[in-house]
Amino acid sequence: MYEENGTRYVLGAGTVAKYKKELEGATLVDTVKGSTFVGRTYEPLFPYFADQPNAFRVLGADFVDTEEGTGVVHMAPGFGEDDQIICEENGIDVVVPVDDSGRFTEAVTDWAGVNVFDANKPIIQHLKEQGALVKHETYEHNYPHCWRTDEPLIYKALGSWYVRVTDFRDRMVAHNQKIRWIPEHIRDGQFGKWLEGARDWSISRNRFWGTPIPVWKSDDPESPTPPECYGSIAELEEAFGVEVKDLHRPAIDELTRPDPNVPGATMRRVPEVLDCWFESGSMPFAQVHYPFENKDWFEHHFPGDFIVEYVAQTRGWFYTLMVLGTALFDCAPFRNCICHGILLEPDGKRKLGKRYGNYSSPDEVFDTRGSDALRWYMMASPIMRGGDLRFDSSDAGLGDVTRLVLNPIWNAYYFFTLYANIDGVRATFRTDSDQLLDRYILAKTRELVENVATEMDDYDLAGACAEITAFIDALNNWYIRRSRGRFWGESGAEAEQSAYDTLYTVLVTVCQVTAPLLPLITDAVYMGLTGDDSVHLTDWPDAESFPLDHELVADMDRVREACSTALALREEHGLRTRLPLASLMIAGHDATRLEPLKHLVQSEVNVKAVELTEDLEAHATFVLSPDRRKLGPKLGAAMKDVIAATRSGAWTKNDDGTVTAGEVTLQPDEYELKLESKEGETSAALKGNDAVVVLDVDVTPELEAEGWARDLVRKVQQARKEADLNVTDRIVLAVDVHEGCRAAIETHAAYIREQVLATELVFGAPEDGMHTVETTLGAGALGLGLRVVTSS
RNA sequence: GGGCGUAUAGCUCAGCCGGCUAGAGCGCCGCCCUGAUAAGGCGGAGGUCCCUGGUUCGAGUCCAGGUACGCCCA
C-alpha cells in the first residue's frame, strides 16, 4: 500500500517493480495480505450497475496471477467462465450489456450502440479524464478468433441447450476400454483423458442455418406449460394438425399452436439450431433413418467395425459418436478406430490446411502422380499410426511409389500379355502346376494372401504394403526372370502352358489382394487379364486353394540369397556375370536340401556346377552366438566374460554338446553356432549366418573363351536393336576380331549363330551396306557387321 | 500454463518383452545384367539412436529431468 498526497494505491507485492515511475513520489505506508480486502466494497468506475445486489465487493480467487497487472482483476460475469462461476458463488447476477452484434446495449448509456472493440479507446480516454487511470499498457495474449473470418470474438453469456454428459461419463469411460485404438495410446491418452474430463455438451447454436432444435415453448415466460420436444414428423403432424414437409427454417418456425394453459399465448419453436457435431455423432442411426426404417440393418451394423479420421477428432467426431452411442444405446458406437496423423509442410513447420492454402490440389497430384500413388504413399506412411508426415507433392516420395510399386506390377502384367499375345496363349486360373518355380510362387502367393489378411485384420496397413512389395520383388526378380525361357517354349509346350497359367493365377490373386491399396491399377490389370468385371466385385482370394509349402518357400528364398551373395563375390573379384565360372559351393546346415534348386543358382550366377555340402569345417569357421536373453538373467555379471570370450574366440566345444566360454559352461539350448567365411577363401556368409557361399574364381582358358562368346552375343543383340531389326529377322554376321579372341569365337560359332539368329558367321571386315559397330572384345578391337537375310 | 505425442543415416521411416556387429526404401558413388529395356540386379560409403543423469551383467528400447517440434485444450 503506497500513499501520495492523500491518495492510496493498493497493488500486489509482485507487481510493484513495474510501477516505479507511477509510484515515484509515493511512500510505502503498509503491507497487508490480499485477503484483508476480501468482502470490502468499492466504488465502481462506471455507474451503470451500481445497484446490482452483492456486486462491487472484493472477491478472492486462485486463478488470478499476482504478478500480472496490479494483482487485482475486474470480474465480468457475462463474459468469462471463471468470472461467472466466482460471481455466482457470491450471489452476483449475470448481466450482459452487449447485444448479438457485439455492441453495448442501452444499459451502458455512454457507449450504447458502440462496438465493444471500437469503444476501447474512448473508454480509456474517459478514465484518464476522470483521473482514474494510473497506467495504460498493452498486453499480448492468445485471443479467440473466428475460425473462418479470423475476426476477434468476445465471450458472452448465452442461454444454451445441453446434453448432460456428466450423468453418463463413467459409462463412456468404461465403453472406451473396449475400443481398439490405432495408435494404442489414444485410448488412455488423448481420448481417455478427454472422456474423464467430459463436461456437459452445449448442443445449441444461435444461427439461422442448421437443424432446428425440435422444442416448442410458450411465448409467455410465466406459462406453466412445459416445453414440448417432438421426435418425428408424425408427432408434429398430430400436435399441429397440418402436413409437415419441411423440417428446416424458416418453414418449421411457422408451426405454432395456442398455449393450452394461457389464453393468448402461443407455443413457438425455440430459436436455436443444433450444433452440427450433434448430427455427425448421430451418423450410425441417422444415416439409415433408424428407428423409423431399417431396424434390421441397424441392429446388424451397429456398432461399426471401424472408423478412421484425423487424430484431433478425439474431441470432435469420435467424441460425439461416443456421447450419443452411450446415451442412446449404452455402448461404444465403433469397435476399432484408426486415428491418422497430419500432413506437415516439407520443413515440418506448419500443418497443411485449408486456412493456409499451403498444399497443392489433390487433383493436381492425381493428374501428375496418380491417385494410386498418393493412396499407397499415405497407406504405407506413419500417418496411419497417428504420426505426422512431412509432405511434398513434388518430391521423390510419390515418384518412388510409381517406380517401386506401380511399375513393377505393370511390368509383370505387361510381360505376361506381351508373350501370351505373341504365342496366342489363353491362360486359366489353376494352382496345381508341378513345376518347381510355379510351386514356389504359388506357395508364396498363399503366404501373401494369409499375411496380408492378418496384417489388415490387425489394421497394420504399412505392414500389408511391405508384404506386397516383397512379393512383387520375388515375382519379378526371381520367378519371372528364372522362368523366362519357359514362356517362349524352351522347356516344351506343357511347361510353357503351366508357366502362363501360373503367372496368370498369381497376377489375378495379387490384384485381389492389392485392390484395397491400389484400386485403379489392380482393376485395370485384373480386367485386362480376365475380361471380367471389376476386381472390386470379387471376393477375397481363398488362401487354402494355393499349395501349402513353407519349406519350399524358405529353401527358395535361401537360394535367392545365396545368389545375391555369389553375385557380390563376383563383383568383389571383378568377375563379370557373363564370364562363366567352374563352380559354386553352398556349405551349410541342411544345404543338401537345396539339391532340386541347384540349376536355378547355376543359371542365375552363371557357373558350370553347383555343389552342396554340409561339411562346414572345411569351408567355414564357427562363431559362438550365446542366447543373451536366456543367459543374462542366469549369469548376471558373468555375462560380460561370456561376451568377451565370444568376441576373442576363447571358447571350446565339448563332446557332450556344451560349450565352454571363458569360465562358463553353456548348455546346448543356450547358444548357437553361426558361420563365418574362412579368411583367404573367395567366400561369404549368408545373412542368417547359417551357410557360406564359396566361389571358384579360377578362370581357365575355356571359361574365358565362353565368356567372350557371350560378350559377343550381347554386342550383336545390341547392334540388332540399334539397327531396328525385328526379333525374328535372320542375319548374316561379319566379325572382325583380333587374334586373341578369334579361336574362342570359332569354338562357339554355333552357339553364337543360334543366339543371334545368324544364318552365316563370317570372319573379316564387314561388307558394304552392312550395319556396322566398332567396339572391343577381350583385350582388343572388335568390328561387327550385320545384314538382314532377305526372307524367303 | 495443462494434456497427449514425436525426436534413429543426407531424406522418409522400421526397430516387439531391454540382448548378437542398429535396419529398410530413396538419394549418392561404383559394378553388373538385359528375349520386360526411358526397365532391372549386386555392392559401397554414410549413425553422438536429441541432451543429462539413473536402473541393469547389458539401454535406441525402461525411469527421472531437460531441449526442440507437433496436436489438443486453457
Side-chain angles (χ1 to χ4, degrees):
Chain A
M1 204 181 300
Y2 287 79
E3 188 176 317
E4 183 179 9
N5 301 332
T7 305
R8 284 196 169 180
Y9 300 95
V10 177
L11 64 168
T15 68
V16 171
K18 288 190 281 189
Y19 296 91
K20 240 182 187 165
K21 199 174 138 209
E22 288 77 8
L23 295 171
E24 228 168 23
T27 47
L28 180 67
V29 291
D30 200 359
T31 304
V32 297
K33 289 202 164 186
S35 54
T36 315
F37 297 101
V38 171
R40 295 190 57 174
T41 57
Y42 63 91
E43 187 187 335
L45 287 168
F46 297 97
Y48 317 124
F49 300 102
D51 299 333
Q52 200 72 17
N54 302 319
F56 307 108
R57 283 182 302 140
V58 177
L59 308 174
D62 56 10
F63 56 82
V64 180
D65 189 339
T66 56
E67 310 286 315
E68 285 285 306
T70 60
V72 180
V73 70
H74 209 100
M75 296 281 103
F79 303 93
E81 193 181 359
D82 282 334
D83 297 21
Q84 187 180 344
I85 292 168
I86 290 286
C87 289
E88 266 173 11
E89 283 169 2
N90 289 278
I92 302 167
D93 286 345
V94 172
V95 291
V96 185
V98 174
D99 68 14
D100 288 347
S101 353
R103 289 190 283 249
F104 285 114
T105 62
E106 293 301 324
V108 182
T109 45
D110 300 291
W111 290 285
V114 179
N115 177 285
V116 294
F117 295 109
D118 297 339
N120 279 338
K121 274 189 179 167
I123 289 174
I124 291 164
Q125 186 60 33
H126 173 85
L127 289 172
K128 214 181 234 172
E129 284 160 7
Q130 288 195 317
L133 190 77
V134 173
K135 187 177 181 182
H136 171 210
E137 275 184 306
T138 304
Y139 286 91
E140 284 197 17
H141 60 107
N142 287 332
Y143 194 85
H145 286 77
C146 174
W147 65 275
R148 188 168 282 205
T149 64
D150 266 339
E151 283 188 61
L153 301 173
I154 55 169
Y155 287 111
K156 181 185 140 176
L158 281 177
S160 188
W161 294 84
Y162 284 84
V163 169
R164 194 157 23 218
V165 174
T166 42
D167 269 7
F168 51 88
R169 182 168 55 199
D170 294 349
R171 300 293 305 154
M172 293 201 297
V173 169
H175 295 326
N176 177 39
Q177 289 303 312
K178 286 175 239 145
I179 297 172
R180 162 126 194 246
W181 289 89
I182 320 287
E184 225 173 311
H185 61 75
I186 300 289
R187 189 190 63 199
D188 295 318
Q190 200 162 323
F191 196 63
K193 292 279 195 305
W194 181 257
L195 287 184
E196 282 165 24
R199 326 248 309 246
D200 292 335
W201 173 22
S202 165
I203 55 164
S204 61
R205 293 293 178 268
N206 303 77
R207 55 194 296 175
F208 185 84
W209 298 105
T211 299
I213 289 181
V215 172
W216 271 253
K217 274 164 69 171
S218 173
D219 58 7
D220 178 352
E222 306 297 322
S223 167
T225 314
E228 297 162 346
C229 181
Y230 295 92
S232 66
I233 291 177
E235 284 177 28
L236 282 172
E237 290 182 341
E238 198 192 327
F240 292 88
V242 292
E243 193 184 357
V244 175
K245 282 184 178 160
D246 187 349
L247 291 172
H248 297 93
R249 299 176 78 178
I252 195 73
D253 289 337
E254 285 164 16
L255 274 190
T256 57
R257 66 193 190 98
D259 182 340
N261 300 306
V262 181
T266 307
M267 300 298 286
R268 296 182 188 280
R269 196 188 70 82
V270 300
E272 291 90 354
V273 297
L274 283 170
D275 174 10
C276 62
W277 288 108
F278 193 91
E279 289 148 288
S280 310
S282 306
M283 175 279 282
F285 47 92
Q287 64 174 330
V288 290
H289 202 215
Y290 176 89
F292 305 100
E293 294 178 74
N294 301 308
K295 278 193 181 167
D296 197 50
W297 185 94
F298 180 77
E299 275 149 26
H300 287 90
H301 289 78
F302 183 86
D305 283 332
F306 91 99
I307 58 173
V308 53
E309 247 292 350
Y310 167 37
V311 63
Q313 295 294 2
T314 43
R315 49 176 295 279
W317 191 43
F318 302 155
Y319 177 68
T320 58
L321 281 171
M322 191 69 168
V323 168
L324 292 177
T326 303
L328 297 170
F329 307 101
D330 194 24
C331 78
F334 47 88
R335 296 191 175 95
N336 298 278
C337 183
I338 296 181
C339 305
H340 64 77
I342 55 162
L343 295 178
L344 305 176
E345 288 181 350
D347 63 6
K349 289 238 166 67
R350 291 188 307 181
K351 65 174 179 175
L352 302 187
K354 276 197 287 259
R355 303 175 50 90
Y356 305 128
N358 53 351
Y359 54 90
S360 44
S361 150
D363 285 329
E364 196 184 311
V365 180
F366 294 166
D367 288 344
T368 55
R369 307 285 192 170
S371 59
D372 272 357
L374 182 60
R375 175 186 288 248
W376 179 280
Y377 185 70
M378 298 290 176
M379 291 297 179
S381 82
I383 206 158
M384 293 311 294
R385 295 192 318 275
D388 299 339
L389 178 69
R390 294 180 185 203
F391 181 71
D392 184 349
S393 63
S394 66
D395 91 358
L398 279 170
D400 287 347
V401 174
T402 308
R403 213 160 48 74
L404 299 170
V405 186
L406 303 185
N407 280 353
I409 290 173
W410 193 260
N411 274 345
Y413 168 59
Y414 185 77
F415 176 89
F416 175 86
T417 53
L418 179 65
Y419 291 106
N421 288 336
I422 287 175
D423 296 348
V425 168
R426 289 212 65 82
T428 35
F429 190 100
R430 51 180 268 247
T431 59
D432 60 354
S433 168
D434 56 4
Q435 296 278 322
L436 192 64
L437 276 161
D438 292 346
R439 270 182 29 231
Y440 162 70
I441 202 68
L442 289 167
K444 208 171 171 68
T445 303
R446 179 189 176 115
E447 292 180 10
L448 173 76
V449 175
E450 289 170 343
N451 293 345
V452 170
T454 304
E455 273 139 6
M456 288 202 175
D457 284 348
D458 208 28
Y459 297 92
D460 178 7
L461 296 181
C465 288
E467 195 76 38
I468 290 163
T469 316
F471 181 86
I472 297 294
D473 181 58
L475 178 66
N476 278 343
N477 295 325
W478 191 256
Y479 174 75
I480 293 181
R481 189 142 56 92
R482 290 270 55 87
S483 305
R484 267 192 297 224
R486 277 167 59 210
F487 286 93
W488 36 90
E490 277 176 10
S491 312
E494 199 184 324
E496 183 181 344
Q497 187 63 44
S498 67
Y500 278 114
D501 288 347
T502 300
L503 182 54
Y504 172 84
T505 303
V506 169
L507 283 172
V508 164
T509 309
V510 165
C511 284
Q512 292 173 314
V513 166
T514 314
L517 299 162
L518 298 171
L520 298 181
I521 192 174
T522 54
D523 211 25
V525 172
Y526 180 85
M527 292 193 287
L529 284 169
T530 61
D532 290 347
D533 286 341
S534 171
V535 68
H536 304 295
L537 298 174
T538 66
D539 286 336
W540 187 254
D542 175 18
E544 306 270 311
S545 69
F546 287 83
L548 174 67
D549 197 339
H550 292 308
E551 284 187 4
L552 175 60
V553 172
D555 287 350
M556 189 68 87
D557 289 341
R558 202 168 173 213
V559 158
R560 289 170 66 197
E561 213 197 308
C563 288
S564 294
T565 308
L567 290 173
L569 277 172
R570 269 184 172 273
E571 193 204 331
E572 197 182 315
H573 293 274
L575 300 165
R576 67 192 192 279
T577 313
R578 273 197 301 267
L579 174 69
L581 293 174
S583 74
L584 174 141
M585 179 182 288
I586 302 175
H589 300 292
D590 294 334
T592 47
R593 282 177 41 155
L594 306 179
E595 184 68 32
L597 310 178
K598 262 166 62 168
H599 66 286
L600 297 170
V601 182
Q602 212 169 312
S603 46
E604 176 74 8
V605 185
N606 191 19
V607 290
K608 293 294 175 190
V610 172
E611 294 165 45
L612 303 169
T613 178
E614 310 217 354
D615 179 12
L616 300 168
E617 275 87 352
H619 305 283
T621 48
F622 290 103
V623 179
L624 178 65
S625 171
D627 185 336
R628 299 180 181 216
R629 285 183 195 219
K630 237 178 225 173
L631 289 171
K634 181 177 157 190
L635 297 179
M639 193 67 195
K640 277 187 170 157
D641 301 335
V642 174
I643 287 168
T646 303
R647 295 239 163 94
S648 66
W651 55 276
T652 50
K653 202 165 184 229
N654 304 319
D655 290 340
D656 61 356
T658 62
V659 154
T660 307
E663 306 284 303
V664 183
T665 300
L666 307 183
Q667 299 305 312
D669 62 340
E670 291 171 341
Y671 71 90
E672 259 185 277
L673 293 179
K674 302 254 165 140
L675 299 178
E676 201 172 62
S677 59
K678 277 194 168 167
E679 269 181 59
E681 285 211 48
T682 47
S683 62
L686 299 194
K687 275 189 183 141
N689 285 3
D690 63 347
V692 296
V693 169
V694 186
L695 193 63
D696 182 350
V697 293
D698 186 23
V699 180
T700 64
E702 287 77 19
L703 294 173
E704 187 154 58
E706 202 180 322
W708 286 332
R710 278 193 61 168
D711 289 344
L712 179 66
V713 167
R714 173 75 203 115
K715 283 170 203 267
V716 174
Q717 301 288 30
Q718 191 63 37
R720 286 181 62 112
K721 185 176 290 177
E722 282 165 15
D724 268 340
L725 267 55
N726 289 322
V727 285
T728 49
D729 283 339
R730 307 271 150 177
I731 58 165
V732 171
L733 175 66
V735 178
D736 189 9
V737 71
H738 61 97
E739 275 310 309
C741 287
R742 173 152 183 165
I745 308 302
E746 284 170 345
T747 309
H748 296 284
Y751 161 78
I752 295 165
R753 284 210 313 274
E754 184 202 12
Q755 289 293 306
V756 303
L757 301 186
T759 54
E760 235 182 299
L761 188 166
V762 293
F763 286 94
E767 301 164 20
D768 285 348
M770 278 184 155
H771 177 83
T772 61
V773 174
E774 292 298 324
T775 176
T776 59
L777 188 68
L782 170 70
L784 287 178
L786 56 89
R787 165 169 63 79
V788 178
V789 180
T790 323
S791 40
S792 50

